[in-house]
Amino acid sequence: MTTITAPKIHVEKVQQSRVDTVDWDNLPFGKIFSDHMFVSDYKDGEWSNDRIVPFGHFTMHPASMVLHYGQAIFEGMKASKLADGTPALLSPGDHAKRINNSARRLLMAEFPEDRFVEAVSQLVSLDRDWIPPAEGSALYLRPYMFATDEFIGVRPSETYRFCIFTAPVGPYYAKPVRLVVEQEFVRAVPGGTGEAKAAGNYAAALLPAQLAQKKGFDQVVWMGGPNMTQVQEVGTMNIFFVIDGEIITPATDGAILKGITRKNFITILRDQGHTVTERTITIDEIVAAHDAGKLEEMFGSGTAAVVSHVSELQYKDKLMTLPAVEDRKIGPALKKYIDGVRTGTVEDKFGWIVKL
Ligand SMILES: Cc1ncc(COP(=O)(O)O)c(C=O)c1O
């Protein structure tokens, strides 16, 4: 039997760390980057030259295919510290799998899952001092891949770069959000790219989000199906409802990103004996539940905020108000559970944590 071992990652450390310059009490999201990044290049049918190098710029050819035809995908994940200071990752294997699902949809090269987890682990280990100390804060990890062929013409690139950098982020005190049900633009349709974390999906969502914000809302609820009646997601999160005790989340039908938080929430809830239904849910059902006083909770799920409670929902000319967050049971408990697993205060019953 032959065992194939992942190639060694070449490490070039910074001469002088910048970690002492960080103001830990004032961490703007996504603007501060830690000392190192991981890079690997795909050429002639294989990934090679896996390396961790000082964080810095790339140079790009003006004809780099990603700039023209958009083969670009990414992941978003977090590293935290357990109570004893050990760095930990949550569900890194799921992120490794998902970036390859995205790669397949955009006809890009898959990055081996074991090398993905090894790269993330070594990078976070090396930059462990960049994991912020405050409770609820984290080191945000951004794995991504893009096409690098220097060529003009629509075809899949034959070369790619895979990179991971990290950014310390402060506690995410998400205030409850006001949402509007989007009736003009769509994020995704079954058969499109909505199930991939493709960069272009996010570009297409900017205009509807900005129009909603101009009207005083925080984000849109993405709709699909006949007459735009089926709820898909909210902003860049999956969505959950609690209606008369039933926990419902839209079934993944090809248009919905298979969120890792969504999957973990379903696992926790079912383990606790709750019934979680993955099915089609229409806006008419939500309006009827609201009018009958049975719409108990509505929240988004995602890596960044974990839970984002919805306070108000506008559909056409009807504004629906949801119960106060203090009166909710499911969403707040899920947030507490995931935050607890990340810091080691809640048992990692499902083996999601990778300790570094
Ligand atoms: C469109 C979209 N939906 C849902 C999610 C939530 O996914 P996850 O829980 O894996 O962060 C994200 C974030 O990755 C997203 O971009």
Side-chain angles (χ1 to χ4, degrees), residues 74-76 95 98 140 187 194 196-197 201-202 222 233-238 256-263 301-304:
F74 67 99
E75 275 301 313
H95 290 278
R98 189 169 66 184
Y140 186 83
R187 189 191 87 89
K197 260 183 97 68
N201 292 347
Y202 298 81
W222 297 112
E233 303 199 45
V234 38
T236 58
M237 303 185 102
N238 293 113
I256 292 173
L257 189 84
K258 291 182 176 168
I260 291 158
T261 316
R262 172 188 184 279
K263 184 176 119 182
S301 74
T303 296

Side-chain angles (χ1 to χ4, degrees), residues 47-66:
W47 289 101
S48 62
N49 195 10
D50 290 12
R51 58 209 187 267
I52 289 174
V53 291
F55 182 82
H57 291 83
F58 296 137
T59 55
M60 283 186 104
H61 191 279
S64 281
M65 284 186 77
V66 63

Side-chain angles (χ1 to χ4, degrees), residues 14 17-19 22 24 31-37 53-56 123-124 126-131 139-141 164-168:
V14 291
S17 171
R18 290 177 283 107
V19 74
V22 178
W24 297 107
K31 286 193 178 168
I32 296 172
F33 305 101
S34 52
D35 286 330
H36 300 93
M37 61 184 187
V53 291
F55 182 82
L123 185 65
V124 173
L126 183 62
D127 280 344
R128 63 178 58 210
D129 293 345
W130 286 84
I131 304 175
L139 188 63
Y140 186 83
L141 318 181
I164 310 168
F165 63 74
T166 73

